[in-house]
Amino acid sequence: MTGAHAIGLIVGIAIIVILFELLRRRRMRERYAMAWLVIGIGSMLIGVFPGLLGEATRAVGLVLPINLVFFVGLIVLLGLTSQLSYELGLAEDRTRALAEEVALIRLEIDEHINGEPVEPAVESDEAP
Amino acid sequence: MDSPAGPRVLVIVPAWNEEACIADTIAEIRATNPSVDVLVVDDGSADQTAARAREAGARVAILPFNVGVGGAMRTGFRYALRNGYDVAAQIDADGQHDPRFLPQLVAELETSDVVIGARFAHKGDTYVARGPRRWAMVLLAAVLSAVAGTRLTDATSGYRVAGRRAIHIFAEHYPAEYLGDTVESLVIAVRLGCKITQVPVDMRVRAGGTPSQSPIRAAIYLFRAVVALFLALVRRWPADFEQGLAEALRKAA
């Protein structure tokens, strides 16, 4: 086992331990954890069976195994960031819709219950 | 429009940090169009925009943080829909839109669903744009004219009025992304069968704030306009979009 493979093993174990801890504390949801779990297991497999990487490299027609690592790494990062952008867009849409509803509900309260307009949000303490 | 039998008109004024001119804008709208209701949508302003607007006699919906013009307008359209308005008009808070043209725009709703108060529509127009910004405007005008099947000279004008059908669509689906409030909203309206026309108006220089103009900014504007336009044309809607709309219209009828 070379140093590089040891690194793969260590990184794989680290990812899985951190992942486990995050899931246990409910700081990460399963849907995001799945991708990381696959990465962690893959990284460990390469550490345990160094031959796998060489075979895979030859199979896809590359010369240097490290290039395969970089290539796969980039693709995985691209996928993960795309997923995050997607989720962020969704979350943004929802918060925006919520903000709009809050504004309308606040206006409704002003008009129907208090009868008097309420002072604008908390940002300012200045009396009009 | 001032007759009691006329349509109920809501003027929506999206405002973000406009405490300097919001009161004047509202006063002018009320003076020139006494029968309309004014709703200011305060888009998360950090200044006294909301308070100034209230003092000026407008209703004010305060968004808890800045969501952009599109989100502010959607809030206004929702309000118009829930409170049964026949017409929702957009007038910007900075005083660029002259409310004296409003009755003309509303009158045009007899035969269409969305009416745009447009620059570049007649001789003697004092509004000038140059370079990439001008190219972007020309391109947007050409493509949207083709999409809408009518001549539109000023697709990015925020001065517009919407009838009931358009209010239903916009209350649910007014886009909040870049140029969504102007360009994409028109594409959506056309795709859902709205008829769009324009009425020439004179736009004034803004009463406060600074316009964003530099060659680089103008080039970025052109690029983003092209992307936004392309996306607007190819985007798909949720499958139940038209069905939901039909239902909403039936309920309202």
Side-chain angles (χ1 to χ4, degrees), chain B residues 123-250:
Chain B
K123 294 270 181 195
D125 200 324
T126 49
Y127 190 95
V128 223
R130 285 195 194 83
R133 195 177 172 83
R134 171 98 194 125
W135 306 334
M137 285 175 172
V138 169
L139 175 83
L140 289 172
V143 176
L144 282 158
S145 294
V147 170
T150 178
R151 185 169 167 270
L152 302 176
T153 54
D154 189 13
T156 58
S157 167
Y159 194 6
R160 45 178 74 179
V161 298
R164 291 197 77 121
R165 185 181 167 83
I167 290 174
H168 276 103
I169 295 170
F170 291 154
E172 191 63 30
H173 294 283
Y174 210 68
E177 273 172 82
Y178 184 72
L179 284 180
D181 59 304
T182 51
V183 174
E184 189 173 3
S185 65
L186 285 184
V187 177
I188 290 175
V190 169
R191 279 207 181 169
L192 292 174
C194 285
K195 189 170 177 292
I196 297 175
T197 45
Q198 69 172 23
V199 167
V201 298
D202 295 317
M203 292 236 183
R204 300 178 292 205
V205 276
R206 61 179 71 207
T210 43
S212 49
Q213 272 179 2
S214 84
I216 295 167
R217 282 198 166 193
I220 293 171
Y221 177 84
L222 172 63
F223 177 72
R224 294 186 68 180
V226 170
V227 173
L229 180 60
F230 175 75
L231 280 177
L233 292 171
V234 300
R235 213 163 247 171
R236 321 179 85 225
W237 322 116
D240 58 352
F241 186 98
E242 310 219 6
Q243 205 182 339
L245 176 71
E247 228 156 78
L249 286 172
R250 198 168 45 227

